[in-house]
Amino acid sequence: MTAQTSTLQTGQVYVSQTRRRILGLVFLGVAVLIWLVFVRGIDPDSTTTMRLVPGGSTVVVDDWEFNTQSALQVVAFGCAVLGAYQLARGFGRRTGLAFALIGSMFVFAFLSWAASGGMLNLAGMLRIMFIRSVPLTLGALSGILCERAGVVNIAIEGMMLTAAMIGTIVGSVSNLWIGLLSAVLAGGLLGLVHAVMSIKYRTDQIISGTVINIFAVGITSFISGKFMQRYPQINDPGIFSPYEIPVLGRIPVLGPVLFRHNIFVYAMIFFVILLTFMLFKTRWGLRLRAVGEHPKAADTLGINVFRTRYMAVILGGMMAGFAGAYFTLGSVGRFDQVMTAGRGFIALAAMIFGNWTPAGAMVAGLIFGFSDSLAASLALLRVKIPSEFLLMTPYIITMLVLAGVVGRGQMPAADGTPYNKEGAA
């Protein structure tokens, strides 16, 4: 009672003693791991060179060269200090920040060790991280729109795949912008199908989403094999070119990494900011969240639950359609069968990682994107670590975050529960 009361009065987040100690031991374990695996096995005279300019950039920045062993010792000491403080006093409401700092320090130590005696294009990795995070973050935003209104949407994969194909065909016979619009509309149409099945007919939402995914894989594979491979002129839409933002694109290091992309990266950042504002700062967002938390109470207050859920699921489908267009119109410029490769499901993991918030989903998308970038970079460095282990990293981090920092995801209370209005058929 006393601990809870003091927590409410101070406005801090209460962290149990057991969790605090476990996290402290994890932090210390990271320090020991860096020391035993990285520091002790490195040549004292070896150096690591990191490029701070991605390929193709005209911004001139000197490479960052440092003694590998000294840098690893500093990182290991910093992790040990954070671990000792976590054991002694704990970081309280800043536990998540400390966890992120430890993770960043470990990644830096790993990259320094992997690139010892060679060169790693760090800026190029970060740039690719942003690019690879686009479909994951946009897909997670699609899930947030739906689930904040109380409708589970596992059909994001199918919506993305269908939109990628439609955008390619329409973009090939017209232009990129019309292709992008058609992809968004295709995602919205599948969102409407999911909404009708889930809201009107109260079909199990998991089954409804699964049906859409299976349909999408079947229809896109059939059209691709039957028509798009036979007539390549309908599978050549081109891609949106990168655009460097004036002035900002010339900022050393950050400019080429953040401000020299095509519209999909900029749109991702815009939608994260817009959706955060709309969900948590407007009456529209309050009503949508109310429908997802307690639809009966929202209905009592005059909010049309069915209309709100329809709107949210259709908008979520359109967001998934925009994400699907990235694969063709923003990346490779052609459609291939099952080219989304499960990223719609990874987007759901990013949504859960981000605790159903747009900013958190973007952070999760960047982490997943970084793991993809890391796997490619380590392959060039010929590090003898199977790429499958690197692809496991984001999921391991997700479990650690949910178990150790967040504790449990704060999903909307009525998520996945059909609403049956009293007196309705």
Side-chain angles (χ1 to χ4, degrees):
M1 177 66 179
T2 303
Q4 292 179 352
T5 303
S6 61
T7 300
L8 292 173
Q9 290 175 348
T10 59
Q12 295 183 348
V13 177
Y14 176 73
V15 179
S16 68
Q17 295 291 328
T18 302
R19 183 172 298 160
R20 190 192 75 189
R21 291 167 183 163
I22 290 175
L23 283 176
L25 292 175
V26 170
F27 293 172
L28 290 175
V30 172
V32 172
L33 178 64
I34 293 174
W35 181 268
L36 293 179
V37 178
F38 299 153
V39 176
R40 294 186 60 183
I42 206 74
D43 184 353
D45 296 326
S46 66
T47 60
T48 297
T49 302
M50 293 189 177
R51 291 206 63 193
L52 302 180
V53 179
S57 174
T58 57
V59 178
V60 179
V61 179
D62 293 335
D63 295 336
W64 181 23
E65 184 175 348
F66 54 87
N67 181 272
T68 308
Q69 190 178 73
S70 299
L72 293 175
Q73 289 172 343
V74 171
V75 173
F77 178 75
C79 292
V81 170
L82 292 175
Y85 186 87
Q86 176 68 16
L87 277 175
R89 299 189 60 182
F91 288 94
R93 64 190 303 175
R94 295 182 176 86
T95 301
L97 179 61
F99 191 89
L101 182 59
I102 286 287
S104 300
M105 293 169 72
F106 176 79
V107 169
F108 175 77
F110 177 73
L111 292 177
S112 300
W113 169 78
S116 177
M119 177 181 290
L120 175 70
N121 192 333
L122 180 62
M125 284 186 61
L126 296 178
R127 175 178 166 79
I128 294 174
M129 173 187 72
F130 273 92
I131 295 174
R132 297 287 177 85
S133 70
V134 169
L136 305 179
T137 301
L138 293 174
L141 295 182
S142 171
I144 290 171
L145 278 166
C146 297
E147 299 204 11
R148 280 289 183 176
V151 179
V152 173
N153 184 10
I154 69 166
I156 296 173
E157 175 80 3
M159 294 174 180
M160 290 167 61
L161 186 61
T162 304
M165 183 195 70
I166 296 297
T168 299
I169 296 175
V170 176
S172 298
V173 300
S174 56
N175 61 62
L176 286 173
W177 289 103
I178 297 179
L180 177 60
L181 177 61
S182 67
V184 173
L185 293 177
L189 179 60
L190 288 180
L192 175 61
V193 173
H194 183 50
V196 170
M197 295 174 66
S198 301
I199 300 171
K200 182 177 181 179
Y201 295 108
R202 296 194 285 275
T203 305
D204 185 288
Q205 295 168 11
I206 302 298
I207 295 177
S208 173
T210 303
V211 168
I212 291 175
N213 286 333
I214 295 174
F215 168 79
V217 171
I219 193 66
T220 56
S221 297
F222 172 77
I223 294 176
S224 175
K226 190 73 173 179
F227 301 104
M228 301 181 73
Q229 293 181 13
R230 183 178 300 180
Y231 307 104
Q233 63 269 24
I234 64 172
N235 197 13
D236 186 24
I239 61 174
F240 286 97
S241 301
Y243 174 76
E244 181 176 312
I245 298 180
V247 182
L248 296 178
R250 304 297 300 176
I251 298 176
V253 183
L254 293 180
V257 172
L258 298 177
F259 305 112
R260 195 165 64 87
H261 297 281
N262 61 29
I263 63 167
F264 287 94
V265 176
Y266 301 135
M268 173 187 71
I269 299 173
F270 171 76
F271 283 133
V272 167
I273 297 173
L274 176 65
L275 193 55
T276 299
F277 174 78
M278 294 296 292
L279 279 177
F280 302 107
K281 300 295 182 181
T282 67
R283 182 179 299 177
W284 176 88
L286 178 61
R287 291 178 174 179
L288 187 143
R289 289 185 289 120
V291 166
E293 293 289 344
H294 203 309
K296 186 174 182 179
D299 193 4
T300 303
L301 294 174
I303 300 174
N304 190 319
V305 175
F306 296 132
R307 185 173 61 191
T308 303
R309 286 188 169 183
Y310 268 107
M311 174 194 62
V313 177
I314 293 172
L315 287 177
M318 296 174 71
M319 186 69 73
F322 186 80
Y326 159 81
F327 290 99
T328 52
L329 306 183
S331 181
V332 299
R334 59 171 286 113
F335 179 81
D336 295 307
Q337 295 182 24
V338 202
M339 68 184 306
T340 50
R343 285 178 174 82
F345 300 107
I346 300 176
L348 289 175
M351 176 193 68
I352 298 171
F353 187 117
N355 205 17
W356 287 267
T357 63
M362 182 175 177
V363 171
L366 290 173
I367 293 175
F368 280 66
F370 182 78
S371 69
D372 282 348
S373 175
L374 181 62
S377 298
L378 293 183
L380 295 176
L381 292 173
R382 297 182 180 179
V383 177
K384 297 181 179 180
I385 298 178
S387 60
E388 290 79 6
F389 286 98
L390 297 174
L391 296 176
M392 289 166 53
T393 304
Y395 303 98
I396 295 174
I397 295 174
T398 300
M399 291 187 291
L400 289 175
V401 168
L402 294 178
V405 179
V406 179
R408 60 181 181 274
Q410 302 298 318
M411 64 183 294
D415 193 15
T417 304
Y419 179 60
N420 188 8
K421 184 179 179 68
E422 293 183 4

